[in-house]
Amino acid sequence: MHSSVDSSSNAPGLDLDRPLPLRRLVYLEEGDEVTIGSPENDTYAVFPADGAELVRLLADGATPREAAERYRQAHGESVDIADLVEVLADLDLLRPAGEPAAAAPEAAPVRWQRLGRAVFSRPALIGYALLTALAAAEMIRVPALVPSMDNLFFSPSYTLVVLLLFFGQAPLLALHEAFHALAGRRLGLRSRLSVGHRLVYLVLETSLDGLVSVPRRKRYLPILAGMLADVLAIAALTLAADLLRGIDAGAARLCLAVAYATVLRLAWQGFFYLRTDLYVLLCTALGCVNLHAAAKDVLRNAARRVTGRPPADLSAHHPVDRRVARWYAWLMVTGYAFTLTMFAGVVVPTAYRLLRDMWLRLTGEASLAGRLDSLLLMVLTLAQTGVVVVIALRERRAARAV
């Protein structure tokens, strides 16, 4: 924030002698930095301590000129107040002309806050632990309940396998994101749900922008809540399969198939080169800003040294990111290795079995139903890939526009 520019710097439309119409702001001090944002629009940014001091003066009603003068008297240096105002405008922390001030937080409570508190209450967490322990004990007692790749093929109709797994995972994906959202709403934070993609798979994503405005120790549960939902789903499906084994073998196989697919989705968290829940947890615990970008640059520099090219400058990254990226970059490499292991151990054998059987049905003496089943599976696979490509292209166009 320090600058030799005088407080009389000009900015379009800026009146240095009129208080700024700031939105309702919240502040979270962490070391030498302060997170400032507005719950009105869930926009947050990290400011140095002296910058946060200026924002507080402006929020308390001081004019830009008065705030700059108080800063000069306190620190003995002038400040480019117009630049700060421009930053606040870019962050949408200034209320547009004519927009009334937001109602007090008590007047607009966050929906589902009570439900969030109940879902993550101490009795509920104890119940979750007991459910998980019981499922683990049953897996030890009945080895057939342990998730395995064979669980996926619970029906001779591969189209039925794909459809039921897709529709079976859809509510569990929603449960995963709902746990994220409820854990945040329990703290009074709003959330947004969107559709995205990771590699070639469609995913749901919950945005909890306001999470940066609460103390760090309170962020861990909302971050881990999705994985907790996955573990509970696996436990419940395993116990359901155990109960159904002697009643309806088909339903038991279906439960185990959905449970195995959920295990694969939970294993996804080990792909450290993606921004998974574990990545967010690590960034929160260590106080990182954009660890992903810093770690990628560290890996690029390692490759540059091998090829004899000069390394890129890492000074643009936050100091904490640079320090953590030295070892996290190799954790990303571990994530790539884990991905290849999953690909070789799960994706390739599954795809080989599907493609081999589809080919035999289409070229052999399979029944008409078998051939139609294989053709329909091909259409469904291509359709999912097409949807992912469309979403990826839209995201790329949006990124270029920004």
Side-chain angles (χ1 to χ4, degrees), residues 346-359:
V346 178
V347 177
V348 171
T350 303
Y352 173 75
R353 179 170 174 176
L354 287 173
L355 292 175
R356 181 200 63 186
D357 289 357
M358 287 170 56
W359 176 258

Side-chain angles (χ1 to χ4, degrees), residues 253-274:
R253 289 195 299 270
L254 175 59
C255 289
L256 291 176
V258 178
Y260 180 71
T262 308
V263 169
L264 295 180
R265 189 157 47 79
L266 185 60
W268 183 285
Q269 301 297 333
F271 295 175
F272 294 105
Y273 56 90
L274 299 176

Side-chain angles (χ1 to χ4, degrees), residues 294-338:
K296 287 178 65 176
D297 284 347
V298 168
L299 289 178
R300 288 193 185 100
N301 281 350
R304 285 172 177 265
R305 283 192 292 270
V306 172
T307 57
R309 292 182 296 170
D313 184 16
L314 299 178
S315 61
H317 297 290
H318 192 279
V320 176
D321 290 344
R322 293 200 303 269
R323 184 175 66 252
V324 177
R326 294 171 186 168
W327 58 265
Y328 183 80
W330 304 110
L331 196 57
M332 291 178 68
V333 174
T334 303
Y336 285 117
F338 181 50

Side-chain angles (χ1 to χ4, degrees), residues 146-155 253 256-257 260 350 353:
V146 177
S148 68
M149 189 179 67
D150 290 337
N151 294 144
L152 289 177
F153 302 97
F154 63 90
S155 169
R253 289 195 299 270
L256 291 176
Y260 180 71
T350 303
R353 179 170 174 176

Side-chain angles (χ1 to χ4, degrees), residues 109-125 128 177-191 206-208 210-211 213-226 228:
V110 175
R111 296 180 61 189
W112 311 114
Q113 190 168 3
R114 288 185 178 180
L115 178 60
R117 289 172 178 168
V119 169
F120 296 101
S121 63
R122 187 179 297 274
L125 293 176
Y128 301 156
E177 301 305 328
F179 262 51
H180 279 307
L182 288 174
R185 288 176 179 255
R186 158 180 163 270
L187 301 175
L189 304 176
R190 290 178 172 79
S191 59
T206 298
S207 298
L208 287 169
L211 197 60
S213 66
V214 301
R216 188 174 300 177
R217 61 183 177 81
K218 293 185 178 181
R219 302 178 202 172
Y220 298 128
L221 181 57
I223 293 171
L224 293 171
L228 172 61

